[in-house]
Amino acid sequence: MKRTAAHAAYDWGVPLLAFSIHCRKLVPSVEMCLGQYTCLGEDIMARRRSKSKQEEELFQGLAGMAMLGGILGAYSLTKSWQVSLVVGFLGVVGIIVLMIIIQQKRAERLKRSGIAEIDKMDGVQFEHYLGHLFRFQGFKAEVTKAAGDYGADLVISKDGKRIVVQAKRYKKNVGLKAVQEVQGAKAHYRANGAWVVTNSNYTEQAYQLAKSNGVRLIARDELVEMLLAMKEKLSSSKKTANVKTSA
């Protein structure tokens, strides 16, 4: 039977699709990519993801579309499915390498922030560390007593504003109970604002309740940014001090 372009596409496409499925954590198959864009809006509304997770999934979707575009573009130029699928395969390899580089840089950034040390702290240590972090940002920070704190682990103030903070050093997502407690603490301490800070993330219920009650939720990604800002400023100050000393 005479071989057609469809047969050639099948012969080359099956191994490539299998490779894509095998590497689905890094590069989605064309079908996965298209499905992701179809339900992206619903999926984001259904549950909150961390910033890094959103960036990773967006990159995966764009990578899949780029791979598809490369295959179609190569075929339009060469009229050869073999060449087109080879181009697509090389594109997959390039994307995997790029993803590995991005993951390595992200890991280095997390290590530099010191978030791993926070993950090992107990609740009291986390509260005191946050007090240090907020003081560095110009707040006056007071860690409340362990028992009878009325839902606030810290009370911070700056520019005439008083904010109650609940600290949650968690391994899992923080639920709406933390939002309810810190909202109650806001009234008790006559504060202007209420925050919850965690080294993890929050459930969708917690996000919804916080939104309707004006509670600020600081999750892992934002905490990492705060830690990096503090460490970079400390490093800069240390360098400036060393220059003045040597002068």
Side-chain angles (χ1 to χ4, degrees), residues 127-237:
E127 292 169 13
H128 283 276
Y129 190 90
L130 286 181
H132 173 67
L133 181 60
F134 286 126
R135 290 186 195 102
F136 182 81
Q137 294 179 341
F139 287 93
K140 291 182 179 179
E142 176 189 355
V143 179
T144 61
K145 57 184 180 181
D149 58 17
Y150 300 100
D153 297 313
L154 299 99
V155 179
I156 63 176
S157 58
K158 184 179 180 181
D159 299 330
K161 293 184 178 180
R162 188 177 174 89
I163 300 168
V164 289
V165 180
Q166 185 163 130
K168 290 294 184 183
R169 211 288 300 160
Y170 266 29
K171 291 183 179 180
K172 59 182 181 179
N173 288 346
V174 178
L176 56 80
K177 183 179 178 182
V179 180
Q180 294 170 333
E181 290 177 350
V182 80
Q183 181 64 17
K186 179 181 176 182
H188 177 78
Y189 287 95
R190 298 180 180 179
N192 306 100
W195 297 357
V196 183
V197 184
T198 183
N199 64 317
S200 182
N201 209 322
Y202 300 91
T203 64
E204 179 61 24
Q205 286 181 318
Y207 275 114
Q208 293 295 337
L209 185 62
K211 182 179 180 181
S212 61
N213 284 271
V215 175
R216 179 183 175 185
L217 301 183
I218 298 177
R220 187 178 184 87
D221 287 328
E222 188 173 354
L223 179 59
V224 166
E225 294 294 334
M226 292 167 65
L227 293 171
L228 285 170
M230 180 179 69
K231 289 182 179 294
E232 287 173 5
K233 192 169 182 179
L234 286 172
S235 177
S236 178
S237 299

Side-chain angles (χ1 to χ4, degrees), residues 81-106:
W81 281 109
Q82 289 91 337
V83 173
S84 302
L85 293 172
V86 168
V87 170
F89 177 81
L90 293 176
V92 169
V93 174
I95 290 167
I96 291 174
V97 171
L98 183 58
M99 284 293 291
I100 291 173
I101 293 172
I102 291 174
Q103 291 293 344
Q104 287 176 340
K105 288 185 177 180
R106 183 175 294 163

Side-chain angles (χ1 to χ4, degrees), residues 31-51:
E31 181 179 355
M32 289 170 62
C33 175
L34 294 176
Q36 181 184 13
Y37 276 98
T38 302
C39 64
L40 182 60
E42 297 177 1
D43 200 28
I44 290 177
M45 292 299 294
R47 60 189 179 92
R48 299 289 181 108
R49 299 185 182 88
S50 67
K51 182 180 178 181

